[in-house]
Amino acid sequence: MKKIFILNGSRRKEGNTATFISSITNKLKDCEIEIAHPQDFKVKACEGGEECFLKAGCVEKDDLPLLDEKILSSDLLILASPVYLHYMTGELKMILDKLSWWAHTLRLQGKPVVLLSTCSTNGQDTVIKPLGEIINFMGGNVIATANASMVPDQINNPEWLDSVSEEISSRITKSIIDYPKANIFTEKIFSASRISMLEQVSYFEDNDIKNGELEFWKSSGMLEFESFSEYLVSKYQNKES
Ligand SMILES: Cc1cc2nc3c(=O)[nH]c(=O)nc-3n(C[C@H](O)[C@H](O)[C@H](O)COP(=O)(O)O)c2cc1C
């Protein structure tokens, strides 16, 4: 059964963001859905060292690996957050900070991602836009984004909620049975990041420095491909033929 992992950055497990999420998940059939909140995990704040980039993983001992596994093993990821002071919640940002190295390695590898936010009056894209950029750099394929506001009242408007949820759930249903994909944003990021990685190979090899991000580019096979889509086809589709 296909797995959907949802990380809701809200401090309220039964708040507006949860209402928006469930209006979508109620329409989904035949998939395993797990909803988590940052407060369900003991994730220490990033201490600001940059060892994680060299190591390709956080050096702290906390619940982050659990969360990594839930995100990476899912077939589709939903990230949601209420707007707090024109941004995502600090709790969600704190988790994403700890996954910063994913933004150098397209770690989500074409996984379909849905981005949701809720706000009071003025946060139409204040969460969606930065989250979209982060997910593009992490190699996720954003297939739908939506914000539900309180003014005008969308979150308590059954017609609005139903029509937006219908569109998003139908995109989820289509994407989840398809292979992970590149898009124009992840393709550009792949090309630029790959050039940068190729330029660094000799520096790290000559100085005998182990760089975890470079190792990921090598071990995944990404370094050998000219484009993200060719790489993803080889990773997910050719494997089964
Ligand atoms: C600390 C805090 C900051 C907020 N900042 C904004 C804001 O900048 N713009 C806005 O439109 N709503 C803002 N809101 C309202 C929430 O985004 C809105 O009520 C949201 O739907 C709450 O989601 P929840 O019920 O899942 O927590 C803020 C709420 C809180 C608690």
Side-chain angles (χ1 to χ4, degrees):
M1 196 178 284
K2 297 289 182 180
K3 285 200 281 184
I4 298 179
F5 182 65
I6 303 173
L7 184 59
N8 175 4
S10 177
R11 289 177 197 155
R12 301 196 297 183
K13 291 194 174 181
E14 290 176 10
N16 294 334
T17 315
T19 303
F20 195 15
I21 291 169
S22 59
S23 76
I24 296 165
T25 53
N26 286 343
K27 292 179 183 289
L28 297 171
K29 293 187 190 78
D30 304 326
C31 44
E32 193 185 311
I33 298 172
E34 180 175 359
I35 304 181
H37 296 79
Q39 58 269 38
D40 301 334
F41 301 88
K42 287 196 181 69
V43 177
K44 294 183 196 161
C46 170
E47 293 195 351
E50 294 190 11
E51 300 94 309
C52 59
F53 293 110
L54 278 182
K55 197 174 168 278
C58 181
V59 291
E60 293 288 339
K61 296 261 175 296
D62 61 16
D63 284 350
L64 192 67
L66 264 177
L67 198 50
D68 285 1
E69 202 278 324
K70 286 178 188 293
I71 295 173
L72 294 175
S73 68
S74 69
D75 296 290
L76 184 139
L77 170 68
I78 300 181
L79 283 183
S81 176
V83 173
Y84 274 15
L85 196 60
H86 296 263
Y87 206 62
M88 69 191 80
T89 60
E91 286 83 350
L92 180 58
K93 178 62 165 56
M94 206 182 86
I95 287 174
L96 295 175
D97 283 347
K98 303 258 290 186
L99 301 176
S100 291
W101 73 274
W102 287 13
H104 296 164
T105 51
L106 294 103
R107 188 70 188 86
L108 291 175
Q109 305 276 283
K111 189 187 297 294
V113 180
V114 173
L115 304 176
L116 304 174
S117 65
T118 65
C119 73
S120 174
T121 51
N122 58 15
Q124 305 307 318
D125 64 359
T126 53
V127 164
I128 300 296
K129 206 161 167 252
L131 264 187
E133 282 169 12
I134 291 167
I135 293 302
N136 287 337
F137 272 89
M138 289 185 172
N141 180 28
V142 178
I143 57 147
T145 68
N147 173 75
S149 66
M150 290 161 78
V151 184
D153 197 355
Q154 295 168 323
I155 201 82
N156 296 304
N157 173 339
E159 287 82 33
W160 185 92
L161 207 53
D162 189 64
S163 86
V164 171
S165 302
E166 188 61 45
E167 173 63 30
I168 295 177
S169 62
S170 82
R171 289 194 203 180
I172 291 175
T173 305
K174 273 190 217 132
S175 304
I176 208 165
I177 52 167
D178 203 352
Y179 294 103
K181 291 224 157 60
N183 60 41
I184 50 165
F185 305 110
T186 54
E187 203 61 83
K188 278 188 188 158
I189 290 163
F190 177 89
S191 298
S193 308
R194 181 169 172 270
I195 290 168
S196 156
M197 280 296 158
L198 286 169
E199 281 170 355
Q200 294 177 58
V201 173
S202 57
Y203 168 78
F204 287 114
E205 285 180 356
D206 293 351
N207 292 289
D208 204 18
I209 300 171
K210 207 164 156 35
N211 179 308
E213 292 180 351
L214 181 58
E215 291 307 312
F216 184 84
W217 275 82
K218 282 185 189 167
S219 64
S220 63
M222 283 196 295
L223 222 46
E224 289 159 34
F225 287 84
E226 295 281 328
S227 78
F228 196 35
S229 50
E230 283 171 298
Y231 162 73
L232 291 174
V233 166
S234 140
K235 173 171 176 163
Y236 294 107
Q237 300 185 33
N238 293 351
K239 197 171 72 175
E240 291 174 19
S241 58

